[in-house]
Amino acid sequence: MALAIVAGAGLAAGYVTVQKGATASAAGSNEAGKVAHSRSGSGGQAAEATVKAAPAGTAPALPPSIMPFNAKLTSKDIPVAGGGVRGGGCSGSLIAPDWIITAGHCFHDLDGTRVGGTPRYHMAVAVGKINDQDPRGHVVQAVDVRQSPVNDLALVKLSEPITDITPLTLPTGPPKVGEKVDFVGWGSLSATVVAPADHMKRGHFQVEQIHHTELQMTPLEARTVENSPCHDDSGSPFFVPDGDQHGRLVAIEDNGPDCPQPGLETTARVDTILDWIHEQMG
């Protein structure tokens, strides 16, 4: 008996569930109408973790999850102009027991403008899973949003702390050009059919360009929808892995070309706002 882990990725935009006759765009959580496109990571390769045999009459012991700090954000009631609601999603990562980090445009008003405070729609946050059926991990709610003053990044407070998963550590200094990072996300597996994936995707990138509040990332392998960001991958972490359980956060996905087309991923730097992050979580 084994658990299969499919690697890949995606970015921010939402699947549409319109009610009350309203019309909604298929673009999901975007700032000022801008659609963010994300990518995925390991070309659809599967990694297997063997489940240990258990005594008769008991459930088998599950192995530790892979990259358990990953977070899948989903909503079914995002209001749309003219009435009605739609669904949408983003990705993120745990950085403290009761905080995740994601893209700022995942939380917005009717005009697509980033907003903070109590979310204006319900956003479920699944942490520590590798697919939707994974019994491990937690599903909690987003209860408070803090929007970065300088880039498209947000901190999200959770309805309850998650104490059995080690969060990603924050950077201690600026990244370097050529630094290798991993990406994990829950974005769409199609550039045209927009819906969150049912499994965690994973890809491998490196820092290509460094700007004041953003980083440009380039893939280290041929792009597929499984290994690079797509719709609903906004907020996905780019991190330096330390085994398959821990890592150091470098940046989060904001936008990029239509997946899986060539081009650089635009990500929000984390190191430039460390003081602000600590102040919000303090």
Side-chain angles (χ1 to χ4, degrees):
M1 180 176 179
L3 294 176
I5 302 163
V6 181
L11 184 72
Y15 55 93
V16 179
T17 307
V18 180
Q19 298 178 357
K20 301 180 182 177
T23 300
S25 166
S29 300
N30 300 302
E31 179 182 4
K34 177 181 69 177
V35 176
H37 305 285
S38 54
R39 310 293 181 273
S40 55
S42 51
Q45 295 177 351
E48 291 189 351
T50 301
V51 178
K52 296 180 180 179
T58 63
L62 291 174
S65 185
I66 305 299
M67 306 301 174
F69 44 77
N70 78 84
K72 178 181 183 178
L73 287 71
T74 53
S75 178
K76 298 179 179 179
D77 61 352
I78 301 173
V80 297
V85 296
R86 64 170 175 82
C90 280
S91 301
S93 55
L94 192 72
I95 59 169
D98 53 352
W99 291 91
I100 64 163
I101 192 167
T102 188
H105 65 255
C106 296
F107 294 87
H108 56 84
D109 62 16
L110 284 176
D111 297 323
T113 302
R114 296 187 296 135
V115 292
T118 302
R120 304 187 179 196
Y121 35 86
H122 296 92
M123 186 71 83
V125 183
V127 180
K129 297 178 177 291
I130 61 171
N131 57 52
D132 288 345
Q133 290 73 43
D134 194 339
R136 297 166 297 187
H138 306 264
V139 179
V140 294
Q141 296 292 318
V143 296
D144 188 21
V145 178
R146 311 287 176 87
Q147 292 283 356
S148 165
V150 300
N151 53 12
D152 186 8
L153 177 154
L155 300 180
V156 180
K157 190 174 180 62
L158 305 178
S159 56
E160 58 185 77
I162 296 173
T163 59
D164 59 348
I165 293 175
T166 301
L168 279 173
T169 61
L170 295 174
T172 57
K176 298 178 180 179
V177 171
E179 185 169 17
K180 292 178 173 55
V181 295
D182 277 13
F183 146 91
V184 294
W186 289 81
S188 176
L189 299 177
S190 168
T192 56
V193 180
V194 179
D198 63 358
H199 60 269
M200 183 186 74
K201 305 181 298 177
R202 184 177 179 182
H204 309 292
F205 289 74
Q206 72 177 18
V207 178
E208 182 74 12
Q209 299 174 15
I210 299 177
H211 304 290
H212 181 57
T213 62
E214 295 179 338
L215 301 176
Q216 302 293 319
M217 301 287 189
T218 190
L220 294 176
E221 56 203 332
R223 288 181 186 271
T224 73
V225 294
E226 285 284 354
N227 67 13
S228 57
C230 243
H231 298 293
D232 291 347
D233 271 318
S234 288
S236 296
F238 288 81
F239 59 96
V240 178
D242 179 10
D244 61 8
Q245 299 287 305
H246 310 101
R248 170 173 52 84
L249 183 63
V250 174
I252 61 100
E253 176 73 16
D254 277 341
N255 59 75
D258 285 338
C259 64
Q261 300 301 314
L264 297 177
E265 294 301 321
T266 299
T267 67
R269 286 178 66 171
V270 174
D271 63 291
T272 57
I273 57 169
L274 285 177
D275 289 343
W276 175 83
I277 290 175
H278 289 301
E279 179 182 343
Q280 302 309 305
M281 298 194 306

